[in-house]
Amino acid sequence: MTKISNSCAQTVVVLDFETSGLSPNQGDRAIEVGAVRIEDGVITDRFQRLMNPGRRIDGFIESYTGITNAMLAKAAPCAEVMDEFADFIGDDDLVAHNASFDQRFLDAELKRVQRRYGGSFACSMLAARRLYPGAFNHKLGTLVEYKALPNDGSFHRALADAEMTAYLWLAMLADIERDHALESVSFEVMQQLTKVPKASVDKFFRRYH
DNA sequence: TGCCAGGCCCTCTTTAGGGCCTT
């Protein structure tokens, strides 16, 4: 049995943004951020804030997220929330479902407040595509049902989605460790997993036996 | 409701096109 580990692999922050649209390059803004910190396989901390983007969101986003313009009118400005969030994530490594989406918004919002983060991203969706090819699809909600993960039935809110992504992440680690007789799997190996072809996943892990 | 974007990934591919996933 081989241990795949490194000195900083056991703490990650799993995050999720609710936004006014799909692209910060098109003027879309974050309206809520949720995150949980996983340390040695256990959720040890949580962060959730609504944030006021300074403009109204459209009816589709209100309906999709349940976040209303009235709720955002009472929320702190994006700059204040993102400054707090930068403190929360620090230099920890980061996980998100379809991470390229959340990374674009994290980068855009932190750039506005001249803050940075030191960790790197891994994507639970890309990992799940390789580990669970039999799933009907790889939407977060589908994978939560597929793996019978804990949830309170609420979707498309930042903290709820971040928690479900965290449970998915832990389930994937546990499945890899069980299926490949590994003691632990590092963050870096999970990042590499998302870059190998689906057909090569077993071969990828056999390298460590 | 589903378009906007962008990266990944598959295939009837690579001199390309389209589906998936995120809000």
Side-chain angles (χ1 to χ4, degrees), chain A residues 139-203:
Chain A
K139 295 178 181 178
L140 179 59
T142 301
L143 291 166
V144 166
E145 184 176 358
Y146 182 73
K147 294 299 295 178
L149 300 174
N151 71 92
D152 64 3
S154 55
F155 292 88
H156 307 307
R157 287 300 299 268
L159 182 57
D161 283 4
E163 288 208 25
M164 288 187 286
T165 302
Y167 287 125
L168 172 63
W169 188 254
L170 292 173
M172 290 192 290
L173 294 175
D175 284 346
I176 292 168
E177 290 163 6
R178 184 198 63 232
D179 293 345
H180 299 279
L182 298 168
E183 289 182 9
S184 65
V185 181
S186 75
F187 181 84
E188 284 74 12
V189 165
M190 292 299 284
Q191 285 183 309
Q192 292 173 38
L193 169 66
T194 67
K195 297 178 175 63
V196 302
K198 284 182 186 176
S200 303
V201 169
D202 285 344
K203 182 180 178 182

